[in-house]
Amino acid sequence: SSALPVDPVINPNQAAIDKLQEMANLYRNSNDKWRAFGYQKAISTLKKCHRPVTTYEEIRMLPGVGPRLAEKIVEIMETGSMIKLEEYQTDADIAVMDLFGKIWGIGPAQAKRWVDLGYRTLDDLRTKAKLTHNQMIGLKYYSEFLERIPRDEVTQIENVVREAADSIRPGLLIQTCGSYRRGKVTCGDCDILISHRDGSSHEHLLFPLVDKLKASGFLIDDLVYTDKHDEEPGAHFRYFGVCKLPGENHLSRRIDIIIVPYAEHACALLYFTGSMLFNRSMRQLADENNMYLSQHRLHIGVIRMGKNKVNEGRLVPTPTEESIFQYLKLPYRPPAERDY
Ligand code: DCP
Ligand code: MG
Ligand code: MN
């Protein structure tokens, strides 16, 4: 097998290269350009080296690798990790991960990725990190989005949307769901569900509605703005963004608007009212009883083999939330009792 040509893609020292690259990124992003440069030089040398280097002496022979760096590479070879790198992921870094994790839409994985890249402050992210549009919006409103919205302000937000929607299309069914419908005193955002009893007047509403609310200065930034065709199949017409009530003393607030056909209204209402944990257990109960419950519909007579549906079952009409509880043989629970 020693006659086989060396595969140029798989470098025998890839593990060390990866760790050194993490280290180089860390130093570069914490403005230690000199150290970053040293690591980068060792990396390019290792990339050109097509045999595995294992001993301290072999590594010292490589151009551009000094004694200290050679020791580190040996450490990686022997332990598969680097203490220096691991050290970075303690104490202070946990605090930074908390800070980053509080940005709207940022989970622990992304927060850790940023810490690993050497970012330590929100300003580091603003000035050095490569951000998606939504990450930029999350940062822009960092502290405002952390403020809960008093219940009566959610009512005011709902009223602004209601007025605009009514002026476009009469007779719409407009309801704020989420924590507001569950009766909370303060809410994280405003979750508005829109439908129409005639089964068709909900169509072609989202775009004119959003246009109107933007023109009046109420909607100030977009997060998710889509019809069902360009996102995951089966997604609702929805607008997730940022709004602000007129007047001096109002903060920028998160707003979610979903528009659904009336046949899906009860399933959407149940879903959008939550809580998330409650939804999860409702869906699980449906699964256990050969049903399928989603934000769109309820199927009965579903046959599953493991996780796969062998038979899709039959769509049943769900005119009210109560009807969904009945199918699941559950006593009705009012929104205020759906926290878990
Ligand atoms: N939802 C869900 N699964 C998700 C996200 C949301 O089932 N991954 C549902 C349940 C939520 C509802 O949508 O209750 C609204 O989502 P929010 O994130 O707005 O949550 P809440 O309104 O319940 O709480 P908050 O006051 O933080 O907005
Ligand atoms: Mg909410
Ligand atoms: Mn929401």
Side-chain angles (χ1 to χ4, degrees), residues 189-191 240 254-256 272:
D189 66 354
C190 183
D191 303 297
F240 293 178
R254 280 271 303 108
I255 182 167
D256 295 342
F272 213 24

Side-chain angles (χ1 to χ4, degrees), residues 15 41 48 68 90 108 110-111 120 126-127 141 143 161 170 204 242 247 259 266 271 299 321:
K41 250 169 69 174
K48 285 180 213 133
R68 296 249 291 282
T90 57
Q110 182 60 53
R120 291 293 173 273
R126 283 189 190 104
T127 56
Y141 299 103
S143 35
V161 174
H204 309 295
V242 189
I259 300 186
Y271 165 81
H299 281 217
E321 282 187 315

Side-chain angles (χ1 to χ4, degrees), residues 39-295:
Y39 276 84
Q40 212 60 61
K41 250 169 69 174
I43 289 165
S44 41
T45 305
L46 271 176
K47 276 185 177 164
K48 285 180 213 133
C49 179
H50 291 291
R51 60 191 165 75
V53 289
T54 47
T55 68
Y56 178 81
E57 285 70 28
E58 282 175 318
I59 294 163
R60 280 289 279 129
M61 301 282 278
L62 299 171
V65 179
R68 296 249 291 282
L69 201 48
E71 276 171 27
K72 294 212 178 78
I73 297 174
V74 173
E75 185 192 331
I76 295 170
M77 305 290 188
E78 287 175 351
T79 67
S81 71
M82 194 194 280
I83 290 169
K84 185 94 191 161
L85 198 59
E86 247 88 271
E87 270 172 9
Y88 267 93
Q89 287 157 10
T90 57
D91 311 340
D93 290 349
I94 306 287
V96 177
M97 279 189 48
D98 283 348
L99 178 82
F100 292 170
K102 281 193 272 180
I103 301 169
W104 184 84
I106 297 307
Q110 182 60 53
K112 183 171 185 305
R113 223 169 290 144
W114 279 332
V115 169
D116 289 347
L117 285 168
Y119 305 128
R120 291 293 173 273
T121 64
L122 297 180
D123 261 342
D124 283 347
L125 296 183
R126 283 189 190 104
T127 56
K128 300 177 200 166
K130 200 165 162 258
L131 301 172
T132 66
H133 170 77
N134 282 7
Q135 290 166 349
M136 277 187 251
I137 301 297
L139 266 174
K140 179 173 170 186
Y141 299 103
Y142 183 80
S143 35
E144 283 174 275
F145 285 175
L146 288 175
E147 297 288 334
R148 308 276 305 170
I149 316 174
R151 202 181 161 74
D152 64 317
E153 189 179 333
V154 177
T155 311
Q156 290 177 56
I157 290 169
E158 181 195 271
N159 287 339
V160 171
V161 174
R162 182 187 305 283
E163 202 175 306
D166 283 346
S167 76
I168 296 169
R169 195 80 42 85
L172 291 163
L173 200 57
I174 301 171
Q175 221 169 342
T176 301
C177 304
S179 49
Y180 179 83
R181 185 160 180 253
R182 298 201 310 279
K184 299 297 164 207
V185 178
T186 65
C187 304
D189 66 354
C190 183
D191 303 297
I192 299 178
L193 176 66
I194 302 179
S195 189
H196 197 293
R197 287 196 178 83
D198 72 7
S200 61
S201 292
H202 66 286
E203 285 168 14
H204 309 295
L205 173 67
L206 187 63
F207 295 166
L209 176 61
V210 168
D211 280 352
K212 190 169 187 109
L213 291 170
K214 280 185 178 175
S216 72
F218 174 73
L219 292 178
I220 53 177
D221 265 307
D222 303 338
L223 288 162
V224 179
Y225 184 14
T226 169
D227 62 38
K228 359 187 159 198
H229 306 297
D230 50 65
E231 283 250 330
E232 75 260 30
H236 283 132
F237 279 91
R238 59 190 206 256
Y239 176 87
F240 293 178
V242 189
C243 71
K244 195 172 181 156
L245 287 167
E248 287 297 294
N249 301 319
H250 290 294
L251 296 178
S252 309
R253 305 298 199 179
R254 280 271 303 108
I255 182 167
D256 295 342
I257 300 172
I258 295 183
I259 300 186
V260 302
Y262 193 63
E264 298 183 9
H265 182 254
C267 285
L269 181 63
L270 185 77
Y271 165 81
F272 213 24
T273 298
S275 68
M276 193 169 31
L277 280 178
F278 175 79
N279 289 352
R280 204 173 293 163
S281 44
M282 285 289 268
R283 283 171 188 209
Q284 200 179 324
L285 185 69
D287 286 2
E288 288 163 7
N289 289 281
N290 301 321
M291 297 179 215
Y292 165 74
L293 176 64
S294 75
Q295 66 213 74

